[in-house]
Amino acid sequence: MLNENHAFILDFPELKLDIVQLNHDDPKFKADLQQYHQLDYDIRQLEISGSPIDDENMNTLKHQRMELKDILYKQLTKHHEQVAH
């Protein structure tokens, strides 16, 4: 879907407290999260403007976003498990 907001916290509302805590306490998570949100913003802006880049470059951006989301989710679930125990 075009121009869909993929904000990390919207995709994982059940882990909101963990996201906030990691964003505050973990510089690596914070940097990755900022990069993820910048990529998501850039992709949405390109979609709004009619994708003024070729499909290969757009797919590369979306793939980077997906990889970052996976990295963040792994960090997040590891943190959540540690806090739960």
Side-chain angles (χ1 to χ4, degrees):
M1 187 176 285
L2 292 179
N3 197 26
E4 185 175 346
N5 187 342
H6 289 272
F8 195 73
I9 207 159
L10 295 177
D11 288 343
F12 306 105
E14 71 281 5
L15 298 171
K16 180 179 179 178
L17 294 177
D18 295 287
I19 294 168
V20 171
Q21 185 175 8
L22 272 174
N23 193 46
H24 182 265
D25 296 342
D26 186 331
K28 169 94 171 94
F29 183 87
K30 183 176 184 170
D32 288 346
L33 187 61
Q34 287 174 336
Q35 184 180 1
Y36 173 84
H37 284 293
Q38 185 62 51
L39 263 173
D40 184 53
Y41 175 81
D42 292 345
I43 290 167
R44 285 187 288 123
Q45 292 305 307
L46 287 167
E47 289 173 343
I48 288 169
S49 62
S51 297
I53 63 172
D54 61 50
D55 287 346
E56 185 176 338
N57 285 324
M58 181 63 94
N59 286 334
T60 298
L61 291 174
K62 288 182 177 183
H63 185 74
Q64 289 173 348
R65 179 178 63 187
M66 181 186 65
E67 286 179 337
L68 265 174
K69 186 180 236 178
D70 287 345
I71 290 167
L72 287 162
Y73 184 73
K74 287 176 186 171
Q75 293 173 338
L76 185 60
T77 55
K78 181 178 177 182
H79 175 267
H80 184 75
E81 290 171 6
Q82 290 173 342
V83 170
H85 288 85

